[in-house]
Amino acid sequence: MGLLDVLRGMQQGPRGPSNPTAQSSGGMSPITMAILALLAYKAVKHFGGSQPGASPAPAPSPGNVNAGAGGGLGDLLRGGLGGLLAGGAAGSVISGGLGDLLRQFQQNGQGQVANSWVGKGPNTPISPDDLGRALGADQLNALAAQSGLSRDELLQGLSQQLPEVIDHLTPDGRLPTESELSARI
């Protein structure tokens, strides 16, 4: 199953749309958009911070209209990240973002939970409160502003769907290589 299959399945949620009017202009659910934005933000930070002498990308600001590393989360999806995904670099973008996201969970006391999402076997659930502490206020505020969801709605949706997305992106019980991810997308 590829990332696009996962995202298509998430658009309606496990029991159909809970709020059919809560769709973004592109037809994607706000939670799906938030997960994409989170991975995109982590990917930009990964690539910005992985180059010698490069400073990490600044925190996204929802009001910024410039696409690219300094733009808002929506701008990442429409601009820089969208072009990368369309251009075939999706494996490296998602791999970098996924790796950075999992490191953040480990650094913030949720490593064992996140490892269950990667590993084979059942996914350990995460409470919205624990997820909020793991992600941090800045990322949550930016994701909430971008998705149009309240912080509570965002955390509730992410706590339910993020484990499934990570599980689908790591079917072999480990972080996939860039080429493996590219083949799945």
Side-chain angles (χ1 to χ4, degrees):
M1 173 176 282
L3 175 62
L4 296 176
D5 295 326
V6 173
L7 295 174
R8 278 188 210 108
M10 288 173 50
Q11 287 182 11
Q12 299 299 316
R15 295 176 222 27
S18 59
N19 182 0
T21 61
Q23 296 285 317
S24 70
S25 61
M28 190 176 291
S29 78
I31 291 297
T32 303
M33 182 61 80
I35 290 172
L36 281 174
L38 180 60
L39 288 174
Y41 175 65
K42 293 311 243 174
V44 168
K45 284 189 70 167
H46 171 79
F47 289 114
S50 66
Q51 299 168 0
S55 60
S61 59
N64 190 335
V65 295
N66 296 324
L73 293 171
D75 296 328
L76 278 173
L77 294 173
R78 287 187 297 273
L81 182 67
L84 284 173
L85 293 177
S92 60
V93 170
I94 293 170
S95 178
L98 185 58
D100 276 12
L101 180 61
L102 293 173
R103 276 189 290 284
Q104 181 178 5
F105 274 90
Q106 291 168 352
Q107 292 167 353
N108 291 319
Q110 296 298 322
Q112 192 171 19
V113 171
N115 287 340
S116 77
W117 306 342
V118 173
K120 294 185 177 185
N123 293 331
T124 302
I126 188 166
S127 73
D129 289 339
D130 287 342
L131 180 62
R133 284 188 289 278
L135 291 177
D138 289 344
Q139 282 182 15
L140 287 174
N141 290 339
L143 290 170
Q146 180 60 39
S147 67
L149 297 171
S150 73
R151 184 180 166 102
D152 289 340
E153 291 170 322
L154 176 67
L155 285 170
Q156 185 64 37
L158 287 176
S159 68
Q160 292 174 2
Q161 294 190 18
L162 188 60
E164 180 183 334
V165 169
I166 292 175
D167 186 53
H168 284 303
L169 291 172
T170 58
D172 298 322
R174 62 174 171 76
L175 283 176
T177 66
E178 294 173 14
S179 61
E180 288 171 332
L181 270 173
S182 292
R184 291 183 191 141
I185 294 176

